[in-house]
Amino acid sequence: MTEKRIEFTRLIRQGVSGSEACRRLGIDRKTGHWWKNGGTVTRNGVATFVKPVIDQQPEREESARYLSESERVQIADGAHAGRSARKIAAELGRAVSTVSRELQRNQSADAVYRPHAAQAMMWARRPRPKARRLESDGELRGLAQRYLDQRWSPEQVVHELDVTHGHRIAVETIYQALYSPQRVLQRDASSVLRTGRPHRRPRRRGDERRPRFVVPIIMIDQRPTTADDRREPGHWEGDLIVGAFNRSAIGTLVEHTSRFTILVHLEGASRSDSLRQQLELIFEDLPDELRRSLTWDQGAEMCHHHALTTATAMPVFFCNPGRPWQRPSNENTNGLLRNYFPKGTDLRIYSAADLERVADELNRRPRKTLGWHTPHALFATLRTGSA
């Protein structure tokens, strides 16, 4: 299991999603979430926080206000050479008081200034541990406990403490106390909070999120403008319709001009590998004029987009997050397909022949937007003209 933890760490740092890393290593997704984010283990009534194997926060750049380790090396070299603090400060571009204080404050026990030991002493002094307010103020803790026992939300508790009792604290203070392994408040967060979560979800700013794709993707705004007016055939839109509990899926492809639909039967443990293989078979059977581009949403199932482009010579473009209208034909078709595959259905019960039958029925249905022609007839014309 240790080897898998090490490999899991390596994959996450490469930008692979947690679920994909779990699939590759054959581990449960809950285990992967535990390794990635840490959590609280309770044994014999004692709660212990387990640190995540992956540091979620990016390394902070040290402020230029503070002396760096390299500057401390220069100070040590100058002091050993007998130069004055004023001369060393001039070489570093620092105040004389900064260098003088450094030499006096961070000397070793034998009165010798050693730069690396000085750096370690600085880091040891940097933390300033301070008890949280609910830990040090018993009266405030008792009031918060009383309202939580009445199943008030943290926001309601904070408001009541301010208005009625004159104690101003942040909502985050309540949440940290509930999720603290020291059990500052004598209630489990899973029983107090309406979400029922036993641990907090990791939150990062947008610019700190890990990329979903290892190979950079091409956004839809770089797609040729000829794909927008539907006059040029060969531009496809794709997506998945997902079954019950996200345990099954069917790939859907729609051609822009004719609205011709192809359903992709997915098999095997890896949804992304199966999708790539099936798409390669589908597009390799088409002439070049009918495989100009593919537009997909940013689902992890398209993590092999670069391999698909290499195999089919067809670029893959990605929509912006939360903007399904950038694939209008595909979204409309997915809505029609829900008449055949209702939400909450286990899609694994449908064979490739079943999907082909449904796609054929949909393609032979006349469309008003096509002048009452059928997608089947128009696509056959396009294919014949491209042959």
Side-chain angles (χ1 to χ4, degrees):
M1 188 60 73
T2 302
E3 292 78 7
K4 287 190 175 183
R5 286 170 65 97
I6 296 174
E7 181 64 15
F8 180 84
T9 304
R10 186 185 67 80
L11 291 173
I12 295 297
R13 286 175 176 164
Q14 288 180 352
V16 179
S17 67
S19 57
E20 176 65 14
C22 292
R23 185 197 62 76
R24 294 186 187 182
L25 298 176
I27 61 176
D28 188 81
R29 291 180 64 180
K30 289 185 178 179
T31 301
H33 182 84
W34 186 274
W35 288 352
K36 184 178 178 181
N37 303 305
T40 303
V41 180
T42 303
R43 293 190 179 94
N44 299 325
V46 179
T48 305
F49 180 74
V50 179
K51 293 184 177 180
V53 296
I54 303 203
D55 186 5
Q56 298 286 345
Q57 298 296 330
E59 295 183 2
R60 293 185 304 170
E61 294 184 4
E62 187 63 34
S63 172
R65 293 176 51 206
Y66 306 107
L67 290 172
S68 65
E69 191 168 13
S70 61
E71 287 180 313
R72 287 188 166 90
V73 171
Q74 290 181 258
I75 292 174
D77 292 341
H80 294 163
R83 293 196 290 272
S84 66
R86 186 174 299 277
K87 190 171 184 179
I88 296 173
E91 294 173 353
L92 294 176
R94 295 280 188 175
V96 179
S97 59
T98 299
V99 177
S100 177
R101 184 167 54 247
E102 175 67 20
L103 288 170
Q104 296 175 8
R105 191 180 190 189
N106 289 332
Q107 288 184 353
S108 299
D110 54 0
V112 177
Y113 181 80
R114 296 182 175 85
H116 303 295
Q119 183 80 1
M121 293 168 66
M122 180 274 294
W123 281 117
R125 285 195 301 266
R126 287 290 291 275
R128 292 176 173 83
K130 180 181 178 182
R132 293 188 175 96
R133 190 170 173 189
L134 288 176
E135 296 178 4
S136 58
D137 192 332
E139 178 187 358
L140 180 61
R141 183 172 62 251
L143 291 172
Q145 183 75 61
R146 186 195 352 165
Y147 293 123
L148 288 173
D149 289 342
Q150 298 176 35
R151 299 189 177 276
W152 287 27
S153 70
E155 190 172 14
Q156 291 169 333
V157 173
V158 168
H159 179 267
E160 186 68 15
L161 291 176
D162 182 18
V163 173
T164 305
H165 304 282
H167 294 290
R168 306 194 72 176
I169 62 174
V171 177
E172 178 66 17
T173 302
I174 302 292
Y175 279 105
Q176 289 186 5
L178 285 170
Y179 285 108
S180 172
Q182 284 77 32
R183 298 181 66 85
V184 177
L185 295 171
Q186 302 303 312
R187 290 291 299 275
D188 291 332
S190 58
S191 63
V192 172
L193 302 179
R194 297 188 181 105
T195 59
R197 297 192 188 104
H199 50 79
R200 302 195 77 170
R201 287 183 176 178
R203 300 292 182 186
R204 294 187 292 269
R205 297 196 311 268
D207 58 348
E208 293 178 341
R209 292 174 181 167
R210 299 182 184 276
R212 176 170 290 180
F213 301 96
V214 177
V215 178
I217 61 177
I218 307 175
M219 298 305 297
I220 192 172
D221 55 4
Q222 301 182 45
R223 189 178 67 176
T225 56
T226 53
D228 299 332
D229 57 15
R230 300 180 183 274
R231 295 180 182 178
E232 184 180 61
H235 296 286
W236 297 79
E237 296 174 355
D239 193 15
L240 297 183
I241 56 174
V242 182
F245 306 107
N246 198 30
R247 293 175 182 171
S248 57
I250 295 173
T252 64
L253 291 172
V254 182
E255 199 276 325
H256 243 188
T257 303
S258 63
R259 277 66 164 190
F260 186 79
T261 301
I262 299 176
L263 299 184
V264 185
H265 187 253
L266 303 179
E267 294 180 324
S270 173
R271 188 178 295 177
S272 58
D273 289 339
S274 178
L275 179 64
R276 175 184 59 81
Q277 295 169 4
Q278 294 298 322
L279 292 181
E280 288 181 6
L281 293 175
I282 291 170
F283 288 121
E284 286 174 355
D285 191 46
L286 297 176
D288 293 343
E289 291 76 7
L290 290 182
R291 53 179 188 186
R292 300 182 191 273
S293 74
L294 172 63
T295 303
W296 208 273
D297 66 3
Q298 293 192 32
E301 69 275 359
M302 192 50 73
C303 62
H304 300 304
H305 60 94
H306 54 289
L308 178 63
T309 298
T310 301
T312 62
M314 182 176 63
V316 180
F317 300 96
F318 289 84
C319 297
N320 294 299
R323 298 185 180 180
W325 58 85
Q326 293 179 337
R327 295 177 295 100
S329 298
N330 185 246
E331 284 295 310
N332 179 68
T333 301
N334 288 349
L336 298 176
L337 288 171
R338 283 302 184 183
N339 293 325
Y340 300 92
F341 312 110
K343 291 185 178 181
T345 304
D346 185 358
L347 301 179
R348 290 172 293 187
I349 65 176
Y350 298 103
S351 65
D354 294 328
L355 302 189
E356 186 175 353
R357 177 186 57 79
V358 171
D360 186 64
E361 183 174 320
L362 203 61
N363 288 327
R364 293 183 184 276
R365 184 185 301 176
R367 305 284 185 90
K368 182 179 180 180
T369 189
L370 301 177
W372 299 112
H373 296 291
T374 66
H376 180 273
L378 286 181
F379 190 75
T381 301
L382 293 174
R383 189 162 189 169
T384 301
S386 301

